Amino acid sequence: MIKKEWVDNGFINEPVGKEVNLKSEIRKLCEEKQAVIMAHYYTEGVIQDIADFVGDSLALAQKAAKTKARIIVMCGVHFMGETAKILCPDKKVLVPDLNATCSLAESCPAEDFARFVHEHPGYTVISYVNTTAATKAVTDVVVTSSNARQIVESFPKDEKIIFGPDRNLGSYINSITGRDMLLWDGACHVHERFSAGKILELKKAFPEAKVLAHPECKDTVLKVADVIGSTAALLKYAAQSETTAFIVVTESGILHEMQKTCPDKKFIPVPPEGNACGCNECNYMRLITLEKLYNTLKYEWPEITVPQEVAEKAVRPIHSMLDISEKLGL
Ligand code: CIZ
């Protein structure tokens, strides 16, 4: 039975008895209920370890579109659950804590974005995947950081493009493609907290290390990076490079997969501006815990729903992204 207090909380806070072995019970529940656990690289390591599949937003969407499972438990933030639900309307999609939103998605309220689009007729609208379903509904093509460059370049050079919501990613794509896309003024609270000064300090302490940065960072940060790319691209670079130490300028959850893939290499997290040490974490991703995952599977709640009229519009730009990515072999 779903209790009102759980609904009010957005997650199930029923205590899990000490005698419950969470990891084995979670796997048992998955089997019993034909559920698949998908986790983003930015979640806690313990969540990534129990998941059936770990990836970035592009890989998670591609996997969700093909899964045969009855239930998808999306361990990530709300828009990732929405994307899965939009792609798989007949499946039950669960996110262990509905409070796991995304600062970037919230920096682009759908009504304001729709007004902006309306004020610029003749523009093609490209939206980063970190948006709500309602914002995707006023979009022509969705992109992730793994395919943004290629998708933008798939349009003619003189195409008039609106790019939202990440001004840092948009301006980076403008700089490497020579485009002049009109940018929405949004940003991710985690990537905004990195500073070039801190990275340069770490560079002094670890002169052999290469700086790997995510394009959601400010351009002052990207200027001191050796490699700029999505989580998947940074992972691939670290695995293939002969370098053995890396300063990692993105959400620190990615270090788990990096360290797993390259156990003999050193990965150094960059603390947020103003902190002497530590990691730069997304507090929303960290809301996903093993206890909540267990309760979510047990009660099949909280469930992601997307109003049908929104889903019908939002599915088109997501499919456009998946189609273009497939054509380009991404
Ligand atoms: O696309 C994603 O999953 C995000 C938010 C970052 C990345 O580069 O993987």
Side-chain angles (χ1 to χ4, degrees):
M1 209 251 303
I2 308 291
K3 297 182 189 166
K4 181 177 177 316
E5 71 203 73
W6 296 348
V7 176
D8 292 345
N9 281 335
F11 62 93
I12 302 173
N13 58 357
E14 183 177 70
V16 176
K18 281 206 178 66
E19 69 287 355
V20 176
N21 179 328
L22 279 175
K23 290 183 187 169
S24 62
E25 287 305 312
I26 286 170
R27 291 312 323 168
K28 237 192 260 170
L29 284 167
C30 277
E31 245 176 67
E32 271 168 39
K33 300 188 175 218
Q34 295 170 55
V36 67
I37 301 173
M38 299 195 183
H40 192 271
Y41 287 133
Y42 290 162
T43 52
E44 292 278 4
V46 68
I47 300 292
Q48 297 184 42
D49 286 343
I50 201 148
D52 295 283
F53 181 75
V54 185
D56 67 354
S57 299
L58 175 61
L60 293 173
Q62 287 168 329
K63 202 76 181 172
K66 292 199 176 126
T67 184
K68 299 248 176 334
R70 184 178 71 84
I71 297 175
I72 298 172
V73 187
M74 185 59 76
C75 293
V77 290
H78 192 272
F79 78 81
M80 296 172 183
E82 277 189 337
T83 306
K85 183 66 189 176
I86 291 165
L87 286 169
C88 314
D90 301 333
K91 298 193 189 294
K92 196 175 247 191
V93 177
L94 310 169
V95 168
D97 190 332
L98 293 181
N99 299 305
T101 58
C102 165
S103 57
L104 192 43
E106 297 209 333
S107 70
C108 188
E111 278 177 25
D112 298 347
F113 192 62
R115 200 173 316 116
F116 184 66
V117 168
H118 186 71
E119 283 163 6
H120 296 90
Y123 278 72
T124 293
V125 182
I126 300 187
S127 290
Y128 194 28
V129 68
N130 298 40
T131 42
T132 61
T135 297
K136 289 185 178 78
V138 290
T139 292
D140 295 305
V141 194
V142 166
V143 297
T144 72
S145 38
S146 281
N147 59 21
R149 177 190 191 146
Q150 292 88 337
I151 290 185
V152 167
E153 285 184 329
S154 73
F155 287 93
K157 260 234 156 280
D158 57 352
E159 184 91 7
K160 293 198 291 185
I161 297 175
I162 287 176
F163 186 93
D166 192 315
R167 60 172 178 263
N168 295 329
L169 176 64
S171 117
Y172 171 68
I173 300 291
N174 272 343
S175 75
I176 56 173
T177 59
R179 306 280 170 137
D180 186 22
M181 300 186 296
L182 200 53
L183 307 182
W184 182 261
D185 191 17
C188 156
H189 74 302
V190 175
H191 290 92
E192 281 282 287
R193 288 194 298 243
F194 289 116
S195 70
K198 196 77 224 170
I199 297 164
L200 293 174
E201 268 174 41
L202 286 168
K203 259 306 254 189
K204 259 194 204 149
F206 302 95
E208 76 288 8
K210 280 206 167 156
V211 177
L212 308 181
H214 194 277
E216 287 177 34
C217 297
K218 296 176 281 202
D219 66 342
T220 46
V221 167
L222 297 182
K223 278 200 178 92
V224 297
D226 297 300
V227 181
I228 300 169
S230 65
T231 50
L234 298 180
L235 262 166
K236 190 169 167 196
Y237 182 85
Q240 292 178 349
S241 164
E242 284 181 2
T243 306
T244 55
F246 302 92
I247 295 167
V248 183
V249 200
T250 187
E251 211 278 352
S252 58
I254 188 65
L255 271 80
H256 183 73
E257 183 67 21
M258 286 177 162
Q259 205 64 76
K260 238 170 121 174
T261 316
C262 312
D264 300 330
K265 298 191 179 184
K266 187 176 178 66
F267 296 97
I268 304 141
V270 181
E273 194 166 16
N275 288 28
C277 55
C279 293
N280 196 353
E281 294 182 344
C282 171
N283 40 327
Y284 300 119
M285 288 283 183
R286 292 299 175 286
L287 291 175
I288 309 299
T289 62
L290 270 190
E291 287 77 6
K292 287 180 198 164
L293 174 54
Y294 168 77
N295 277 324
T296 294
L297 274 160
K298 184 168 162 194
Y299 292 99
E300 299 187 18
W301 192 88
E303 187 174 355
I304 294 287
T305 55
V306 180
Q308 198 182 337
E309 67 280 12
V310 174
E312 277 169 9
K313 290 184 187 149
V315 77
R316 286 182 232 141
I318 301 174
H319 272 306
S320 298
M321 169 183 81
L322 293 176
D323 293 346
I324 300 175
S325 297
E326 200 176 327
K327 256 189 233 145
L328 297 173
L330 300 170

